[in-house]
Amino acid sequence: MSAEPISLLGGKSVYCINEGQLRDAKRLAEEDPESSPKIQALLEELDESLSRNERASLAFMIIERLRNNPNK
């Protein structure tokens, strides 16, 4: 018996990310000389090793951890 896949699409919004935060995150990930190579390498590895649903789950869990532990 196979388990039904868990979909992470749809539903009500839980988190609000503003355009400034997204712009700064993209700049850090794409342009920052120290952070960009590390972030890009991890993103490439994740794209190759995790499904779309698994990547979405990871993204939500990272945001949740940041929200619950802002100083860590």
Side-chain angles (χ1 to χ4, degrees):
M1 184 167 112
S2 176
E4 289 283 323
I6 298 171
S7 176
L8 298 179
L9 303 175
K12 294 181 180 181
S13 290
V14 176
Y15 303 111
C16 182
I17 299 171
N18 70 44
E19 290 177 355
Q21 290 170 312
L22 181 57
R23 183 178 52 250
D24 290 345
K26 287 182 79 166
R27 189 176 67 235
L28 187 66
E30 296 172 356
E31 299 172 16
D32 185 85
E34 185 176 332
S35 295
S36 178
K38 295 188 287 188
I39 294 169
Q40 291 302 317
L42 284 170
L43 288 173
E44 187 173 322
E45 181 180 336
L46 293 171
D47 284 344
E48 292 175 3
S49 63
L50 298 177
S51 70
R52 182 184 188 282
N53 224 26
E54 290 167 337
R55 292 190 318 268
S57 177
L58 178 60
F60 285 126
M61 296 312 302
I62 290 171
I63 291 169
E64 185 68 8
R65 285 181 178 204
L66 290 169
R67 198 173 69 81
N68 289 328
N69 300 302
N71 297 322
K72 213 170 183 182

